[in-house]
């Protein structure tokens, strides 16, 4: 006999089949009480997305399936992060300040470049006032810093560093900054859907 799903889970599953994000739909159904700033939410930091080939939900970060991450309808095991983190569950953050000589924001390119390394990512609500917060694991953060410092952009036909400075933050400081960024977002635009 199949397991009975909550109405919110059924709606989220249908939204995922229509191309939406499963975890986002579940968070939206829970309302503003759901913490959207990190792995302390009830999804353990996973970002589950629908995988049509298996009809299952898989985390886009650590690639684990929801049915594996959840112990017999119990709590979800915390996300270990990107595969490149090597299963390291500790987090550190890098605060990147964009080079002021850039004529426009390169936040999307920068976040994409960081994600492309496989050892870092820009979590939700990580961009604010010319600064990008990047998450990584202690075992790979030095390599990520090195790669970020090599990212360049073209200004007036010359290659310039995209990032003016890279500051290392503890997990607590990074989470506090994400919470501040989220509060600033809500104050300006309202609660995200």
């Amino acid at each position: 006999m199949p397991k009975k799903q909550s109405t919110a889970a059924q709606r989220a599953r249908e939204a995922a089949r229509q191309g939406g994000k499963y975890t986002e739909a579940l968070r939206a159904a829970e309302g503003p009480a759901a913490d959207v700033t990190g792995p302390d939410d009830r999804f353990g930091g996973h970002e589950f997305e629908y995988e049509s080939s298996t009809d299952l939900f898989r985390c886009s970060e650590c690639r684990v399936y929801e049915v594996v991450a959840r112990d017999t309808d119990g709590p979800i095991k915390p996300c270990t992060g990107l595969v490149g983190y090597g299963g390291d569950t500790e987090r550190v953050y890098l605060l990147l300040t964009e080079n002021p000589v850039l004529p426009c924001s390169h936040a999307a390119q920068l976040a994409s470049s960081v994600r492309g390394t496989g050892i870092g990512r820009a979590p939700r609500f990580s961009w604010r006032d010319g600064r990008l917060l990047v998450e990584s694991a202690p075992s790979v953060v030095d390599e990520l810093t090195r790669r970020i410092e090599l990212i360049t952009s073209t200004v007036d036909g010359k290659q310039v560093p995209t990032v003016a400075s890279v500051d290392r933050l503890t997990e607590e400081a990074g989470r506090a900054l994400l919470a501040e960024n989220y509060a600033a977002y809500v104050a300006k635009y309202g609660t995200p859907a």
Side-chain angles (χ1 to χ4, degrees):
M1 171 179 264
K3 176 171 59 170
K4 184 168 171 69
Q5 289 184 328
S6 70
T7 305
Q10 290 172 351
R11 286 187 193 133
R13 192 173 188 81
E14 186 55 36
R17 285 195 176 106
Q18 300 297 324
K21 302 271 188 185
Y22 177 72
T23 311
E24 285 178 16
L26 275 178
R27 284 185 177 124
E30 291 176 353
D35 174 21
V36 296
T37 61
D40 297 329
D41 67 11
R42 56 183 221 102
F43 301 101
H46 293 280
E47 292 292 336
F48 294 111
E49 294 181 0
Y50 181 66
E51 189 176 74
S52 60
S53 62
T54 61
D55 195 32
L56 295 172
F57 295 90
R58 192 174 203 180
C59 180
S60 61
E61 305 298 319
C62 68
R63 307 301 296 156
V64 71
Y65 288 101
E66 182 185 15
V67 293
V68 175
R70 185 184 300 272
D71 285 330
T72 60
D73 284 337
I76 295 178
K77 295 175 201 153
C79 182
T80 57
L82 296 174
V83 175
Y85 290 4
D88 190 345
T89 57
E90 289 184 55
R91 297 289 175 261
V92 291
Y93 290 86
L94 299 174
L95 185 58
L96 314 180
T97 303
E98 256 190 339
N99 192 335
V101 303
L102 299 175
C104 61
S105 175
H106 284 64
Q109 177 228 350
L110 190 53
S112 178
S113 296
V114 167
R115 179 64 182 224
T117 66
I119 56 176
R121 71 179 186 117
R124 295 173 72 196
F125 308 106
S126 59
W127 176 256
R128 188 167 142 223
D129 300 331
R131 296 177 142 202
L132 179 69
L133 188 68
V134 173
E135 175 190 273
S136 189
S139 58
V140 295
V141 73
D142 291 332
E143 176 61 15
L144 178 61
T145 301
R146 186 187 71 75
R147 292 185 190 185
I148 288 170
E149 290 170 344
L150 295 175
I151 299 172
T152 61
S153 299
T154 305
V155 176
D156 295 329
K158 297 178 185 174
Q159 292 294 310
V160 297
T162 304
V163 175
S165 68
V166 179
D167 300 310
R168 192 175 296 194
L169 304 176
T170 64
E171 182 171 6
E172 296 77 27
R175 296 238 179 262
L177 190 56
L178 282 174
E180 286 175 28
N181 289 355
Y182 176 70
Y185 180 92
V186 169
K188 189 170 184 176
Y189 303 107
T191 304

